[in-house]
Every structure is written in C-alpha cells, then in structure tokens.
Amino acid sequence: GAGVSQSPSNKVTEKGKDVELRCDPISGHTALYWYRQRLGQGLEFLIYFQGNSAPDKSGLPSDRFSAERTGESVSTLTIQRTQQEDSAVYLCASSIFQGSPQHFGDGTRLSIL
Amino acid sequence: TQLLEQSPQFLSIQEGENLTVYCNSSSVFSSLQWYRQEPGEGPVLLVTVVTGGEVKKLKRLTFQFGDARKDSSLHITAAQPGDTGLYLCAGGGSNYKLTFGKGTLLTVNP
C-alpha cells in the first residue's frame, strides 16, 4: 500500500502475556519511529530506527519493551509480560530520512485486561 | 525535558465560527509541526513552520510560529464539521525527535 500499515489494528490480551505489534513503513523510507499514545495524552516517543539499527532506544519505558527492524522495512515492537498500564494506542511512523516529515500509520489499540 | 502545552484542551463551536488554538513552550524548537488526528486514525501532518515569525496559510487554516520559536498558533476561519478532530503540535529539535503536546480536541457542530 501507499501508506504506513500497522497490524493488528486492535489487540486485547490478558495481563502477563507477551504481544507483538507490526509496522510496515512506506517503501523507501529509511527512518522508522514508534510512539505510544495514552488516552487523553500526546504522543510519547519510544524508539527510532535508521535503517535496521536503533541509535536511540531512550524512550522505551522498561526492559519489557523491545523492537527490531529487518530488511530496512518491517519493524516489530514486542512487549513482554504486559501490564495494565501498557494499554494504549501504539503508533508507527516513517520518513524518507531522519528529520523529514513523518507519516503515521493508524496504530494498534492495545488493551490489557 | 522539553514540554509543549496546548490550549484549550477541548473546544466545541458552531459551524461558521472562527477559532484559535495555541501551542506554547519554554524551549526553543528548530521547527514546529501541526497534525490533525481523527478517531481510529494516525496523525496527519498539516504544516511545518521553521522560521521565527513565519505565517503559513492552508485554505481556511492559518499557522504562525512565534518570533522566538517557542510558540505557535493555529487559526481556523469559518469552521466546518469536517474540521473536527484532535489537533496536535510537535516541536522538532536538532535531531529526528519530535516532542508532542497533548492536543486540542475540536468539535464543530453543524
């Protein structure tokens, strides 16, 4: 597709389970970003990829959160041992290169029961 | 830590009215972006301003970047129901990282 694609669009899981969220960026975009948006809040930066490397992981809230990117394309965000406070919309964005306008996907709405 | 404060948090107006929303910070940003987000969708970039004092117009929307590059405003003329959404401002620094405000939720009633 032409835009950033995220899957699943919705995920409901029990506390303590692991979840994996997927992001397909726009083809040719070298930079990829993950954000978290809690209800009533702005976007919180999680991690940034340039190519397949992640020079900045400073936004990851805890060691339960990890992310990888392969083939300078698809990225997955993994949350282990989910907690209720992890409930949020997780948004992915990509840009042609670092600093250029970011294009967002529609997000994955994660609900932890 | 850079923070962006947006006001008002909520705004409900009638179709045809004008409105202004604000984005303020104590920090200087190299650029300021405005996004609109509709329910169930990701933010969509409306405009980027980079020069202090810059004014950009996008049809009925007017964006202004403060002279000191610490604040910005978005003015909508003759609002329409299609303008309804969450308006987010985001400040850019010397790198890729964007700092987002919490947004202004605008409802335009027909």
Side-chain angles (χ1 to χ4, degrees), chain B:
Chain B
T1 302
Q2 296 180 309
L3 291 174
L4 277 169
E5 299 287 338
Q6 289 193 244
S7 60
Q9 188 176 357
F10 300 97
L11 186 57
S12 180
I13 61 171
Q14 293 301 120
E15 182 175 3
E17 293 182 359
N18 302 332
L19 67 112
T20 302
V21 297
Y22 301 92
C23 175
N24 296 298
S25 176
S26 58
S27 302
V28 175
F29 291 99
S30 61
S31 68
L32 203 297
Q33 301 180 10
W34 283 92
Y35 292 81
R36 187 173 82 194
Q37 184 178 23
E38 299 190 29
E41 299 182 6
V44 175
L45 181 65
L46 297 174
V47 77
T48 300
V49 286
V50 297
T51 305
E54 181 176 2
V55 176
K56 280 192 174 180
K57 291 192 174 184
L58 185 66
K59 295 184 181 178
R60 293 176 294 100
L61 278 60
T62 301
F63 304 86
Q64 186 165 10
F65 201 13
D67 290 342
R69 290 185 291 134
K70 292 182 179 181
D71 52 80
S72 181
S73 63
L74 160 59
H75 182 80
I76 301 179
T77 303
Q80 299 176 1
D83 296 326
T84 293
L86 179 67
Y87 288 82
L88 293 159
C89 67
S94 58
N95 55 26
Y96 52 87
K97 195 175 288 188
L98 292 178
T99 300
F100 279 85
K102 293 183 179 181
T104 292
L105 185 60
L106 172 65
T107 302
V108 182
N109 302 297

Side-chain angles (χ1 to χ4, degrees), chain A residues 81-95:
Chain A
R81 304 181 303 281
T82 52
Q83 304 293 314
Q84 287 187 333
E85 64 262 27
D86 299 333
S87 295
V89 176
Y90 289 81
L91 290 158
C92 174
S94 70
S95 61

